[in-house]
Amino acid sequence: MNQFDVIIVGAGFLGLSTAYQLSKMGVRTLLLEAGDIGGGTSASCSGRAQTCEGHLDPLNIQIIRDGLARHETLEKELGMRYDWRKVGIFLLIRSEELRQRWQERAAILTPAGIPTAVIDRQALQSAEPHMNTHGLLGAAYALEGMLDPLRFSLAYARAAQQQGAVILGRSKVTGFEVQNHQITAVKTKDSVYHAAKVAVMAGAWTSKVTQLAGVTIPIHYTHAEALVTERIPPMIYNNVELADFYETIHGKARAVAIGVHPQLNGSLDISEAVTTSRKLHKGVSAWGVTSLSKELVQLYPFLQKTRIVRAWGRPTSFTPDEEPLIGWVPALENLFVAASLVITITTVPLLSEWMALLIQGKTPPVSLEEYSPARFVQQPVLS
């Protein structure tokens, strides 16, 4: 009962989707999650399937474009709705330099199959009449996707179980047995499991898990906070973010990069207040809620008396070069790692299939070698 072909650690988007793909391919798969299914970072996000904000290299563009297309039929494939829909995204431009940069990006993205345009302030005001556009030069515009992240997680979990995967929540990995440069067993508090291959897909917690096997993965993280409003009449018609989101938060102890995302039930998901943190946690702060609220009201003054009904926090992981981490870890022959995809929701339907092939020792349609952990990871220290 404790013998599998593959053990996956982490039941977020990556772990669940890969468990589904592996099981569909006939691989005996166990998925272990320290908390609840999707309860780490995955289910506590805004649900955006981003398109135009990724890196501009050909591989990343292909994964975004083709991954987005997979969502059009994925609800039917998984047998469960997760509220998939296409929405517009306005990325607010506040400087001439930023406008020029996005015009250059649009010239690359549009011919590559991700239509992107830069509009002026008047066009932005027409599209979002209740927005305070003072100080804005305009926005970059594209179509992206939205979904319910918890339902997305549960859809993959149910489909994986229907294919034969075993998914165990509240099963924190406490250690590994390592012999002859291979993981021979995965330990939890109550059980010991064996598999030919182990895949760690634990988001910001990835390095903490791999350290149990003597391997340090350079996963960094910030802490992001967001809030949800009460239901309001439809007065915001698109997703809204900053065109310089990453520059706004990068290297700062505290920063707010406002984002507004209308939900199907009429509430607004408002993100995000970002802090640097040495502790992985899912808490919120008075600073986060008040800072987000202040910037929200500046952007949409009519929301001044709108009530906040809940808030959430989550760690967001990234690598030193801000590229995804996907592949086999050097010196431990059967340890696979995937983390920090940057644009995760969009790419998961495609990358999970390719990762399932890699884990089986097969060749995916496109090489993912440039994302290999080998660019960072040193030899493990084995006891």
Side-chain angles (χ1 to χ4, degrees), residues 63-127:
I63 294 171
I64 292 172
R65 182 191 63 226
D66 297 348
L68 188 74
R70 290 285 185 95
H71 277 284
E72 296 301 322
T73 57
L74 188 58
E75 283 182 314
K76 183 177 180 180
E77 177 183 338
L78 299 181
M80 181 176 171
R81 292 190 60 186
Y82 51 80
D83 294 342
W84 172 253
R85 69 269 190 195
K86 289 284 190 65
V87 298
I89 172 71
F90 284 114
L91 300 166
L92 305 180
I93 294 173
R94 301 180 289 185
S95 71
E96 186 59 43
E97 184 274 334
L98 195 57
R99 176 160 59 185
Q100 178 64 33
R101 190 196 315 170
W102 273 94
Q103 287 173 339
E104 294 170 356
R105 288 180 63 88
I108 297 172
L109 290 167
T110 300
I114 304 176
T116 306
V118 176
I119 64 170
D120 61 20
R121 177 182 172 183
Q122 183 177 359
L124 174 62
Q125 190 73 77
S126 178

Side-chain angles (χ1 to χ4, degrees), residues 344-378:
T344 305
I345 290 176
T346 315
T347 59
V348 150
L350 187 66
L351 280 178
S352 61
E353 180 181 329
W354 295 357
M355 290 191 295
L357 291 172
L358 281 173
I359 291 169
Q360 295 176 79
K362 300 178 180 179
T363 303
V366 175
S367 173
L368 300 176
E369 186 62 28
E370 65 186 82
Y371 299 150
S372 170
R375 69 190 194 272
F376 298 126
V377 180
Q378 306 299 315

Side-chain angles (χ1 to χ4, degrees), residues 8 13-23 201 352 355-356 359:
I8 297 174
F13 297 146
L14 292 185
L16 290 166
S17 60
T18 306
Y20 165 69
Q21 294 290 350
L22 284 168
S23 301
M201 302 181 177
S352 61
M355 290 191 295
I359 291 169

Side-chain angles (χ1 to χ4, degrees), residues 3 23 31 41 47 50 70 81 83 94 97 135 178 206 274 287 301 319 369 375:
Q3 185 70 44
S23 301
L31 193 157
T41 295
Q50 297 162 274
R70 290 285 185 95
R81 292 190 60 186
D83 294 342
R94 301 180 289 185
E97 184 274 334
V178 179
T206 294
V274 180
W287 172 83
T319 61
E369 186 62 28
R375 69 190 194 272

Side-chain angles (χ1 to χ4, degrees), residues 5-8 18 22 27 181-183 195-201 210 215 217 324-339 354-364 368-378 380:
D5 297 323
V6 176
I7 296 174
I8 297 174
T18 306
L22 284 168
V27 178
H181 306 296
Q182 287 197 346
I183 294 175
K197 299 173 183 178
V198 175
V200 177
M201 302 181 177
T210 62
V215 176
I217 303 289
L325 195 69
I326 300 173
W328 298 100
V329 173
L332 282 184
E333 299 170 1
N334 63 341
L335 176 59
F336 188 93
V337 172
W354 295 357
M355 290 191 295
L357 291 172
L358 281 173
I359 291 169
Q360 295 176 79
K362 300 178 180 179
T363 303
L368 300 176
E369 186 62 28
E370 65 186 82
Y371 299 150
S372 170
R375 69 190 194 272
F376 298 126
V377 180
Q378 306 299 315

Side-chain angles (χ1 to χ4, degrees), residues 52-61 101 104-106 108-109:
C52 63
E53 295 165 275
H55 296 166
L56 296 177
D57 59 281
L59 175 56
N60 194 61
I61 290 175
R101 190 196 315 170
E104 294 170 356
R105 288 180 63 88
I108 297 172
L109 290 167

